[in-house]
Amino acid sequence: MEFSIDWRIFLTIFVSVFIAELGDKTQLATMLFAADKAVSKWTVFFAASAALVLASAMGVLVGTFLSEYINEKVLSYIAGAGFIVIGLYTLYTA
């Protein structure tokens, strides 16, 4: 397996994930941990970073596995429907 980076795709993924993570539960939880004066900010940073790396790795592995059995377009529809359902649930419970 050759290691090469398609910078256009890299930047698309980076910007998409960065924007999606701004202000979400993960960032808020990290801010709360960092606000504790007794906790090392480096510990918070490295622990939160490791958790995000692991979650991303799981996403890549599951996505790779699913793509072997489900068409990419169908996966996009499933993901889109999932976001709509979550959005509707959030509006309903607000």
Side-chain angles (χ1 to χ4, degrees):
M1 179 174 172
E2 179 182 322
F3 180 79
S4 66
I5 293 180
D6 182 330
W7 289 104
R8 188 175 66 86
I9 292 174
F10 177 91
L11 288 172
T12 300
I13 294 167
F14 177 86
V15 170
S16 299
V17 172
F18 182 77
I19 290 171
E21 289 296 323
L22 286 178
D24 79 340
K25 297 179 306 227
T26 305
Q27 188 179 36
L28 295 175
T30 303
M31 287 169 41
L32 288 173
F33 285 120
D36 185 344
K37 291 183 181 4
V39 175
S40 163
K41 306 317 174 219
W42 286 110
T43 301
V44 174
F45 173 75
F46 287 121
S49 297
L52 289 171
V53 167
L54 181 59
S56 296
M58 289 171 54
V60 170
L61 291 173
V62 170
T64 301
F65 174 77
L66 289 177
S67 71
E68 295 292 322
Y69 301 100
I70 302 173
N71 181 294
E72 180 181 342
K73 191 167 192 143
V74 174
L75 282 174
S76 294
Y77 287 135
I78 292 169
F83 279 114
I84 290 170
V85 169
I86 291 168
L88 291 173
Y89 176 76
T90 302
L91 288 172
Y92 177 75
T93 59

